[in-house]
Amino acid sequence: MYTTLISAADLAGHIDNPAWVIVDCRHDLMNLSAGREAYAAGHLPHALFADIETALSGARRGADGAFRGRHPLPLRADLVATLRNWGIDDDTQVIAYDAHGGMFAARLWWMLRWIGHPAVAVLDGGMAAWQAAGLALSSDAPAPKTGSLTEGAPLVATVSAADVLDNVKTGNKVVLDARAADRFRGENETIDPVGGHIPGAKNHFFKDNLGPDGRFKDAAQLKAELAPLVGDPHKAIMQCGSGVTACHNLLALEVAGLPGAALYPGSWSEWCADPARPIATGT
């Protein structure tokens, strides 16, 4: 079972395994059709396409009308139904990939763990690693099949905006923001309406989890870099702009042998939507 990362070589050895499901998570936050267009132009053999905006996100507003962020989690039952429609069973090995260093694939990795499915991994290096190995792409969509995945107990933790607000007051937990440093400081904000960060948060840009080759750094290096930031991971909260790249930091923590941190799914996009919540700028 692969539970964090898989190399292109190892995936190639299983590419025709009918018990494996491969999911293309390519996306562009500024061009919402780019992922699907890239998939149509060529993808890993047998891969399905996951739309971050629909398949891997829920309604932006809750029953009370409150904004839940740009990529709120779907209902667990809805996610299970989506995964079944992709042919996923309880014993299926799922592999997620993208062309962005795992930026979007890590979201699917985390979500499968959220519904209790441990057999999920991210293709280390993504499309670039696959193509660098000289491996073929396909433009054929796989035949649809229905899986029998059952919903299990979460293997990961989440916190709400109210939990984070309480933590701003108590400081009991470390909050780690996965956005780029300038957005964390409140500069060059082009996605959300308000710039800044959650008071007391630290910054660890998700791309810092990767080496120059676009693959994740090894476990020892990740631990050396992340452990001083998070301390006890069970007392840490990961967030970002909308709950996507925070999953990259969660994956890096898992690779580093530092499991247990929680995700704030709404992240900055939900947080800054309520003017009553405090914000900070600068470092």
Short mmCIF file of all heavy atoms in Angstrom, two decimals, residues 123-190:
data_model
loop_
_atom_site.label_atom_id
_atom_site.label_comp_id
_atom_site.label_asym_id
_atom_site.label_seq_id
_atom_site.Cartn_x
_atom_site.Cartn_y
_atom_site.Cartn_z
N LEU A 123 1.73 11.16 -6.90
CA LEU A 123 2.85 10.89 -7.80
C LEU A 123 3.91 11.97 -7.57
O LEU A 123 3.69 13.15 -7.85
CB LEU A 123 2.38 10.91 -9.26
CG LEU A 123 3.49 10.81 -10.32
CD1 LEU A 123 4.31 9.54 -10.15
CD2 LEU A 123 2.89 10.89 -11.71
N ASP A 124 5.05 11.57 -7.04
CA ASP A 124 6.12 12.50 -6.71
C ASP A 124 6.71 13.09 -7.99
O ASP A 124 7.21 12.35 -8.85
CB ASP A 124 7.20 11.77 -5.91
CG ASP A 124 8.10 12.71 -5.15
OD1 ASP A 124 7.79 13.91 -5.05
OD2 ASP A 124 9.13 12.23 -4.62
N GLY A 125 6.63 14.39 -8.13
CA GLY A 125 7.10 15.05 -9.35
C GLY A 125 6.04 15.19 -10.42
O GLY A 125 6.26 15.89 -11.42
N GLY A 126 4.91 14.52 -10.26
CA GLY A 126 3.77 14.68 -11.14
C GLY A 126 4.04 14.38 -12.61
O GLY A 126 4.86 13.52 -12.95
N MET A 127 3.36 15.12 -13.46
CA MET A 127 3.49 14.91 -14.91
C MET A 127 4.93 15.05 -15.39
O MET A 127 5.38 14.30 -16.25
CB MET A 127 2.61 15.93 -15.64
CG MET A 127 1.15 15.55 -15.74
SD MET A 127 0.82 14.24 -16.97
CE MET A 127 1.06 15.16 -18.49
N ALA A 128 5.66 16.00 -14.82
CA ALA A 128 7.04 16.22 -15.27
C ALA A 128 7.89 15.00 -15.01
O ALA A 128 8.70 14.60 -15.87
CB ALA A 128 7.62 17.44 -14.55
N ALA A 129 7.72 14.37 -13.86
CA ALA A 129 8.50 13.17 -13.54
C ALA A 129 8.11 12.02 -14.46
O ALA A 129 8.98 11.24 -14.90
CB ALA A 129 8.29 12.79 -12.07
N TRP A 130 6.83 11.89 -14.74
CA TRP A 130 6.34 10.83 -15.63
C TRP A 130 6.94 10.98 -17.03
O TRP A 130 7.47 10.03 -17.60
CB TRP A 130 4.82 10.87 -15.68
CG TRP A 130 4.19 9.77 -16.49
CD1 TRP A 130 3.77 9.83 -17.78
CD2 TRP A 130 3.91 8.44 -16.03
NE1 TRP A 130 3.24 8.63 -18.17
CE2 TRP A 130 3.30 7.75 -17.12
CE3 TRP A 130 4.09 7.77 -14.83
CZ2 TRP A 130 2.88 6.42 -17.03
CZ3 TRP A 130 3.67 6.45 -14.73
CH2 TRP A 130 3.09 5.78 -15.82
N GLN A 131 6.91 12.19 -17.54
CA GLN A 131 7.42 12.42 -18.89
C GLN A 131 8.95 12.37 -18.94
O GLN A 131 9.52 11.92 -19.93
CB GLN A 131 6.89 13.75 -19.42
CG GLN A 131 5.38 13.73 -19.67
CD GLN A 131 4.85 15.03 -20.22
OE1 GLN A 131 4.71 16.01 -19.51
NE2 GLN A 131 4.56 15.04 -21.52
N ALA A 132 9.60 12.82 -17.87
CA ALA A 132 11.06 12.75 -17.83
C ALA A 132 11.55 11.32 -17.86
O ALA A 132 12.66 11.04 -18.34
CB ALA A 132 11.57 13.45 -16.57
N ALA A 133 10.72 10.39 -17.37
CA ALA A 133 11.06 8.97 -17.40
C ALA A 133 10.76 8.34 -18.76
O ALA A 133 10.96 7.13 -18.95
CB ALA A 133 10.31 8.23 -16.29
N GLY A 134 10.28 9.15 -19.71
CA GLY A 134 9.98 8.63 -21.04
C GLY A 134 8.72 7.80 -21.12
O GLY A 134 8.56 7.00 -22.05
N LEU A 135 7.81 8.00 -20.16
CA LEU A 135 6.60 7.18 -20.10
C LEU A 135 5.48 7.83 -20.92
O LEU A 135 5.39 9.05 -21.04
CB LEU A 135 6.17 7.01 -18.64
CG LEU A 135 7.20 6.26 -17.79
CD1 LEU A 135 6.93 6.43 -16.31
CD2 LEU A 135 7.20 4.78 -18.17
N ALA A 136 4.63 6.99 -21.46
CA ALA A 136 3.63 7.43 -22.43
C ALA A 136 2.44 8.12 -21.76
O ALA A 136 2.10 7.86 -20.60
CB ALA A 136 3.13 6.24 -23.23
N LEU A 137 1.81 8.98 -22.54
CA LEU A 137 0.54 9.59 -22.16
C LEU A 137 -0.57 9.01 -23.04
O LEU A 137 -0.30 8.33 -24.03
CB LEU A 137 0.59 11.11 -22.34
CG LEU A 137 1.61 11.87 -21.50
CD1 LEU A 137 1.54 13.36 -21.82
CD2 LEU A 137 1.40 11.63 -20.01
N SER A 138 -1.80 9.28 -22.64
CA SER A 138 -2.95 8.79 -23.39
C SER A 138 -3.96 9.92 -23.52
O SER A 138 -4.01 10.82 -22.68
CB SER A 138 -3.58 7.60 -22.67
OG SER A 138 -4.81 7.22 -23.28
N SER A 139 -4.78 9.86 -24.55
CA SER A 139 -5.90 10.80 -24.67
C SER A 139 -7.24 10.07 -24.54
O SER A 139 -8.30 10.67 -24.72
CB SER A 139 -5.84 11.54 -26.01
OG SER A 139 -5.87 10.62 -27.09
N ASP A 140 -7.17 8.79 -24.21
CA ASP A 140 -8.39 7.99 -24.07
C ASP A 140 -8.95 8.10 -22.65
O ASP A 140 -8.21 7.97 -21.67
CB ASP A 140 -8.10 6.52 -24.36
CG ASP A 140 -7.66 6.29 -25.80
OD1 ASP A 140 -8.07 7.08 -26.66
OD2 ASP A 140 -6.89 5.34 -26.04
N ALA A 141 -10.25 8.33 -22.53
CA ALA A 141 -10.91 8.33 -21.23
C ALA A 141 -11.24 6.90 -20.83
O ALA A 141 -11.72 6.12 -21.67
CB ALA A 141 -12.18 9.17 -21.28
N PRO A 142 -10.98 6.51 -19.60
CA PRO A 142 -11.27 5.13 -19.19
C PRO A 142 -12.77 4.85 -19.18
O PRO A 142 -13.58 5.78 -18.98
CB PRO A 142 -10.67 5.04 -17.79
CG PRO A 142 -10.62 6.44 -17.31
CD PRO A 142 -10.39 7.30 -18.50
N ALA A 143 -13.12 3.61 -19.38
CA ALA A 143 -14.52 3.22 -19.34
C ALA A 143 -15.06 3.40 -17.92
O ALA A 143 -14.37 3.08 -16.95
CB ALA A 143 -14.68 1.76 -19.77
N PRO A 144 -16.25 3.96 -17.77
CA PRO A 144 -16.80 4.18 -16.43
C PRO A 144 -17.08 2.86 -15.72
O PRO A 144 -17.44 1.86 -16.34
CB PRO A 144 -18.09 4.94 -16.69
CG PRO A 144 -18.46 4.62 -18.10
CD PRO A 144 -17.17 4.41 -18.83
N LYS A 145 -16.87 2.88 -14.42
CA LYS A 145 -17.24 1.74 -13.59
C LYS A 145 -17.64 2.25 -12.22
O LYS A 145 -17.28 3.36 -11.83
CB LYS A 145 -16.08 0.74 -13.48
CG LYS A 145 -14.81 1.27 -12.86
CD LYS A 145 -13.74 0.18 -12.79
CE LYS A 145 -12.45 0.70 -12.14
NZ LYS A 145 -11.43 -0.36 -12.02
N THR A 146 -18.39 1.45 -11.51
CA THR A 146 -18.91 1.87 -10.21
C THR A 146 -18.21 1.11 -9.11
O THR A 146 -18.11 -0.12 -9.16
CB THR A 146 -20.43 1.63 -10.12
OG1 THR A 146 -21.07 2.36 -11.17
CG2 THR A 146 -20.97 2.10 -8.78
N GLY A 147 -17.72 1.83 -8.12
CA GLY A 147 -17.05 1.22 -6.99
C GLY A 147 -17.99 1.04 -5.81
O GLY A 147 -19.16 1.45 -5.84
N SER A 148 -17.46 0.45 -4.74
CA SER A 148 -18.27 0.16 -3.56
C SER A 148 -17.65 0.74 -2.29
O SER A 148 -17.82 0.20 -1.20
CB SER A 148 -18.43 -1.36 -3.41
OG SER A 148 -17.16 -1.99 -3.34
N LEU A 149 -16.90 1.81 -2.43
CA LEU A 149 -16.24 2.43 -1.29
C LEU A 149 -17.24 2.73 -0.18
O LEU A 149 -18.34 3.22 -0.43
CB LEU A 149 -15.59 3.74 -1.75
CG LEU A 149 -14.85 4.54 -0.68
CD1 LEU A 149 -13.57 3.84 -0.27
CD2 LEU A 149 -14.55 5.95 -1.19
N THR A 150 -16.84 2.44 1.05
CA THR A 150 -17.67 2.76 2.20
C THR A 150 -17.01 3.86 3.02
O THR A 150 -15.78 3.97 3.07
CB THR A 150 -17.92 1.53 3.09
OG1 THR A 150 -16.66 0.95 3.47
CG2 THR A 150 -18.74 0.49 2.36
N GLU A 151 -17.82 4.66 3.66
CA GLU A 151 -17.32 5.76 4.46
C GLU A 151 -16.78 5.24 5.78
O GLU A 151 -17.46 4.50 6.50
CB GLU A 151 -18.44 6.77 4.71
CG GLU A 151 -18.02 7.99 5.51
CD GLU A 151 -19.17 8.97 5.70
OE1 GLU A 151 -20.12 8.95 4.90
OE2 GLU A 151 -19.10 9.75 6.67
N GLY A 152 -15.56 5.61 6.10
CA GLY A 152 -14.95 5.17 7.35
C GLY A 152 -14.68 6.34 8.27
O GLY A 152 -14.94 7.50 7.95
N ALA A 153 -14.14 6.04 9.42
CA ALA A 153 -13.78 7.08 10.38
C ALA A 153 -12.64 7.92 9.80
O ALA A 153 -11.73 7.38 9.17
CB ALA A 153 -13.36 6.46 11.70
N PRO A 154 -12.65 9.22 9.99
CA PRO A 154 -11.59 10.06 9.44
C PRO A 154 -10.21 9.67 9.98
O PRO A 154 -10.07 9.35 11.15
CB PRO A 154 -11.97 11.47 9.90
CG PRO A 154 -13.43 11.41 10.21
CD PRO A 154 -13.68 10.02 10.69
N LEU A 155 -9.23 9.71 9.08
CA LEU A 155 -7.84 9.49 9.47
C LEU A 155 -7.13 10.82 9.70
O LEU A 155 -5.93 10.84 10.00
CB LEU A 155 -7.12 8.70 8.38
CG LEU A 155 -7.74 7.35 8.02
CD1 LEU A 155 -7.02 6.74 6.81
CD2 LEU A 155 -7.70 6.40 9.20
N VAL A 156 -7.86 11.92 9.54
CA VAL A 156 -7.32 13.26 9.66
C VAL A 156 -8.28 14.12 10.48
O VAL A 156 -9.44 13.77 10.66
CB VAL A 156 -7.09 13.90 8.28
CG1 VAL A 156 -5.96 13.20 7.54
CG2 VAL A 156 -8.37 13.85 7.44
N ALA A 157 -7.78 15.25 10.94
CA ALA A 157 -8.59 16.14 11.77
C ALA A 157 -8.85 17.46 11.06
O ALA A 157 -8.06 17.91 10.23
CB ALA A 157 -7.88 16.40 13.10
N THR A 158 -9.96 18.10 11.39
CA THR A 158 -10.29 19.42 10.88
C THR A 158 -10.64 20.34 12.05
O THR A 158 -11.02 19.88 13.13
CB THR A 158 -11.48 19.39 9.90
OG1 THR A 158 -12.63 18.87 10.58
CG2 THR A 158 -11.18 18.54 8.69
N VAL A 159 -10.52 21.64 11.79
CA VAL A 159 -10.96 22.64 12.75
C VAL A 159 -11.80 23.67 12.02
O VAL A 159 -11.69 23.84 10.80
CB VAL A 159 -9.77 23.34 13.45
CG1 VAL A 159 -8.98 22.37 14.30
CG2 VAL A 159 -8.87 24.03 12.45
N SER A 160 -12.65 24.35 12.75
CA SER A 160 -13.54 25.36 12.18
C SER A 160 -12.97 26.75 12.39
O SER A 160 -12.00 26.95 13.14
CB SER A 160 -14.91 25.27 12.86
OG SER A 160 -14.80 25.65 14.24
N ALA A 161 -13.62 27.73 11.77
CA ALA A 161 -13.22 29.12 11.98
C ALA A 161 -13.35 29.50 13.45
O ALA A 161 -12.51 30.23 13.99
CB ALA A 161 -14.08 30.04 11.11
N ALA A 162 -14.38 28.99 14.11
CA ALA A 162 -14.56 29.27 15.54
C ALA A 162 -13.41 28.70 16.35
O ALA A 162 -12.93 29.35 17.30
CB ALA A 162 -15.90 28.71 16.02
N ASP A 163 -12.95 27.51 15.99
CA ASP A 163 -11.80 26.91 16.68
C ASP A 163 -10.56 27.77 16.49
O ASP A 163 -9.79 27.98 17.44
CB ASP A 163 -11.53 25.51 16.14
CG ASP A 163 -12.64 24.52 16.40
OD1 ASP A 163 -13.31 24.64 17.44
OD2 ASP A 163 -12.84 23.63 15.56
N VAL A 164 -10.37 28.26 15.27
CA VAL A 164 -9.19 29.08 14.99
C VAL A 164 -9.28 30.41 15.74
O VAL A 164 -8.28 30.91 16.26
CB VAL A 164 -9.02 29.30 13.48
CG1 VAL A 164 -7.83 30.20 13.18
CG2 VAL A 164 -8.83 27.95 12.77
N LEU A 165 -10.47 30.97 15.80
CA LEU A 165 -10.65 32.22 16.54
C LEU A 165 -10.33 32.02 18.02
O LEU A 165 -9.66 32.86 18.65
CB LEU A 165 -12.07 32.74 16.38
CG LEU A 165 -12.38 34.08 17.05
CD1 LEU A 165 -11.46 35.19 16.53
CD2 LEU A 165 -13.85 34.46 16.84
N ASP A 166 -10.78 30.92 18.58
CA ASP A 166 -10.44 30.61 19.97
C ASP A 166 -8.92 30.51 20.14
O ASP A 166 -8.36 30.96 21.14
CB ASP A 166 -11.10 29.30 20.40
CG ASP A 166 -12.59 29.43 20.64
OD1 ASP A 166 -13.07 30.58 20.80
OD2 ASP A 166 -13.28 28.39 20.66
N ASN A 167 -8.27 29.92 19.13
CA ASN A 167 -6.83 29.74 19.22
C ASN A 167 -6.08 31.07 19.11
O ASN A 167 -5.00 31.22 19.68
CB ASN A 167 -6.35 28.78 18.14
CG ASN A 167 -4.91 28.37 18.32
OD1 ASN A 167 -4.58 27.66 19.27
ND2 ASN A 167 -4.03 28.85 17.46
N VAL A 168 -6.64 32.03 18.36
CA VAL A 168 -6.03 33.36 18.30
C VAL A 168 -5.96 33.95 19.70
O VAL A 168 -4.98 34.62 20.07
CB VAL A 168 -6.83 34.29 17.36
CG1 VAL A 168 -6.37 35.74 17.49
CG2 VAL A 168 -6.68 33.83 15.91
N LYS A 169 -6.97 33.66 20.51
CA LYS A 169 -7.03 34.20 21.88
C LYS A 169 -6.12 33.44 22.83
O LYS A 169 -5.50 34.03 23.73
CB LYS A 169 -8.48 34.15 22.38
CG LYS A 169 -9.45 34.96 21.53
CD LYS A 169 -10.89 34.68 21.92
CE LYS A 169 -11.87 35.40 21.00
NZ LYS A 169 -13.29 35.08 21.31
N THR A 170 -6.01 32.11 22.64
CA THR A 170 -5.26 31.30 23.60
C THR A 170 -3.83 31.01 23.16
O THR A 170 -2.94 30.84 24.01
CB THR A 170 -5.97 29.96 23.83
OG1 THR A 170 -5.97 29.19 22.61
CG2 THR A 170 -7.42 30.17 24.29
N GLY A 171 -3.62 30.91 21.83
CA GLY A 171 -2.29 30.57 21.33
C GLY A 171 -1.85 29.17 21.68
O GLY A 171 -0.64 28.88 21.71
N ASN A 172 -2.80 28.27 21.92
CA ASN A 172 -2.45 26.91 22.33
C ASN A 172 -1.89 26.07 21.19
O ASN A 172 -1.18 25.10 21.42
CB ASN A 172 -3.68 26.20 22.91
CG ASN A 172 -4.08 26.76 24.26
OD1 ASN A 172 -3.25 27.29 24.99
ND2 ASN A 172 -5.36 26.67 24.59
N LYS A 173 -2.24 26.44 19.96
CA LYS A 173 -1.81 25.65 18.81
C LYS A 173 -1.06 26.52 17.80
O LYS A 173 -1.34 27.72 17.69
CB LYS A 173 -3.00 24.97 18.13
CG LYS A 173 -3.69 23.93 19.01
CD LYS A 173 -4.77 23.19 18.24
CE LYS A 173 -5.38 22.09 19.11
NZ LYS A 173 -6.39 21.30 18.37
N VAL A 174 -0.14 25.91 17.08
CA VAL A 174 0.57 26.60 16.00
C VAL A 174 -0.31 26.60 14.76
O VAL A 174 -0.86 25.56 14.38
CB VAL A 174 1.91 25.89 15.71
CG1 VAL A 174 2.56 26.46 14.45
CG2 VAL A 174 2.85 26.01 16.89
N VAL A 175 -0.44 27.75 14.11
CA VAL A 175 -1.14 27.85 12.84
C VAL A 175 -0.09 28.11 11.77
O VAL A 175 0.69 29.05 11.87
CB VAL A 175 -2.19 28.98 12.86
CG1 VAL A 175 -2.84 29.13 11.49
CG2 VAL A 175 -3.23 28.72 13.93
N LEU A 176 -0.07 27.24 10.75
CA LEU A 176 0.93 27.35 9.69
C LEU A 176 0.24 27.63 8.37
O LEU A 176 -0.61 26.86 7.93
CB LEU A 176 1.75 26.06 9.60
CG LEU A 176 3.09 26.13 8.87
CD1 LEU A 176 4.04 27.09 9.56
CD2 LEU A 176 3.72 24.75 8.77
N ASP A 177 0.60 28.74 7.74
CA ASP A 177 -0.01 29.21 6.50
C ASP A 177 0.85 28.80 5.32
O ASP A 177 2.04 29.10 5.28
CB ASP A 177 -0.13 30.74 6.59
CG ASP A 177 -0.96 31.36 5.47
OD1 ASP A 177 -0.89 30.88 4.33
OD2 ASP A 177 -1.66 32.35 5.75
N ALA A 178 0.26 28.11 4.34
CA ALA A 178 1.01 27.55 3.21
C ALA A 178 1.15 28.50 2.03
O ALA A 178 1.77 28.14 1.02
CB ALA A 178 0.34 26.25 2.73
N ARG A 179 0.62 29.72 2.13
CA ARG A 179 0.68 30.63 1.00
C ARG A 179 2.09 31.22 0.82
O ARG A 179 2.92 31.16 1.72
CB ARG A 179 -0.32 31.76 1.18
CG ARG A 179 -1.78 31.31 1.14
CD ARG A 179 -2.71 32.47 1.43
NE ARG A 179 -2.49 33.01 2.77
CZ ARG A 179 -2.91 34.20 3.17
NH1 ARG A 179 -3.57 35.00 2.34
NH2 ARG A 179 -2.66 34.61 4.40
N ALA A 180 2.31 31.82 -0.35
CA ALA A 180 3.58 32.49 -0.60
C ALA A 180 3.77 33.63 0.42
O ALA A 180 2.81 34.20 0.93
CB ALA A 180 3.61 33.05 -2.02
N ALA A 181 5.03 33.96 0.70
CA ALA A 181 5.35 34.91 1.75
C ALA A 181 4.72 36.28 1.52
O ALA A 181 4.29 36.95 2.47
CB ALA A 181 6.87 35.04 1.87
N ASP A 182 4.64 36.73 0.26
CA ASP A 182 4.07 38.06 0.02
C ASP A 182 2.58 38.09 0.33
O ASP A 182 2.09 39.06 0.94
CB ASP A 182 4.36 38.54 -1.40
CG ASP A 182 3.82 37.62 -2.48
OD1 ASP A 182 3.53 36.43 -2.19
OD2 ASP A 182 3.71 38.08 -3.64
N ARG A 183 1.87 37.05 -0.03
CA ARG A 183 0.44 37.00 0.30
C ARG A 183 0.25 36.89 1.81
O ARG A 183 -0.68 37.48 2.37
CB ARG A 183 -0.26 35.83 -0.41
CG ARG A 183 -0.40 36.03 -1.91
CD ARG A 183 -1.22 34.92 -2.54
NE ARG A 183 -2.60 34.93 -2.07
CZ ARG A 183 -3.38 33.86 -2.00
NH1 ARG A 183 -2.93 32.67 -2.36
NH2 ARG A 183 -4.62 33.96 -1.57
N PHE A 184 1.10 36.13 2.47
CA PHE A 184 1.03 36.03 3.93
C PHE A 184 1.19 37.41 4.57
O PHE A 184 0.47 37.76 5.51
CB PHE A 184 2.13 35.09 4.43
CG PHE A 184 2.21 34.96 5.92
CD1 PHE A 184 1.35 34.13 6.61
CD2 PHE A 184 3.17 35.67 6.64
CE1 PHE A 184 1.43 34.00 8.00
CE2 PHE A 184 3.26 35.56 8.02
CZ PHE A 184 2.39 34.72 8.70
N ARG A 185 2.08 38.21 4.03
CA ARG A 185 2.32 39.55 4.58
C ARG A 185 1.19 40.53 4.23
O ARG A 185 1.10 41.62 4.78
CB ARG A 185 3.64 40.12 4.04
CG ARG A 185 4.87 39.38 4.51
CD ARG A 185 6.13 40.16 4.16
NE ARG A 185 6.28 40.37 2.73
CZ ARG A 185 6.99 39.59 1.91
NH1 ARG A 185 7.61 38.51 2.40
NH2 ARG A 185 7.08 39.87 0.62
N GLY A 186 0.32 40.12 3.30
CA GLY A 186 -0.76 40.99 2.88
C GLY A 186 -0.45 41.78 1.64
O GLY A 186 -1.14 42.75 1.31
N GLU A 187 0.58 41.37 0.91
CA GLU A 187 1.02 42.05 -0.30
C GLU A 187 0.61 41.24 -1.54
O GLU A 187 0.56 40.02 -1.50
CB GLU A 187 2.53 42.22 -0.28
CG GLU A 187 3.07 42.96 0.94
CD GLU A 187 4.56 42.78 1.12
OE1 GLU A 187 5.21 42.15 0.25
OE2 GLU A 187 5.09 43.23 2.16
N ASN A 188 0.37 41.93 -2.63
CA ASN A 188 0.11 41.27 -3.92
C ASN A 188 -1.04 40.27 -3.85
O ASN A 188 -1.00 39.22 -4.49
CB ASN A 188 1.38 40.57 -4.43
CG ASN A 188 2.56 41.51 -4.52
OD1 ASN A 188 2.43 42.65 -4.96
ND2 ASN A 188 3.73 41.04 -4.07
N GLU A 189 -2.06 40.59 -3.08
CA GLU A 189 -3.22 39.70 -2.96
C GLU A 189 -4.11 39.88 -4.19
O GLU A 189 -4.71 40.93 -4.39
CB GLU A 189 -4.00 40.00 -1.69
CG GLU A 189 -5.21 39.10 -1.48
CD GLU A 189 -4.84 37.63 -1.47
OE1 GLU A 189 -4.21 37.17 -0.51
OE2 GLU A 189 -5.18 36.94 -2.47
N THR A 190 -4.18 38.85 -5.01
CA THR A 190 -4.96 38.92 -6.25
C THR A 190 -6.11 37.93 -6.28
O THR A 190 -6.88 37.90 -7.25
CB THR A 190 -4.06 38.66 -7.47
OG1 THR A 190 -3.47 37.35 -7.34
CG2 THR A 190 -2.95 39.69 -7.57
#
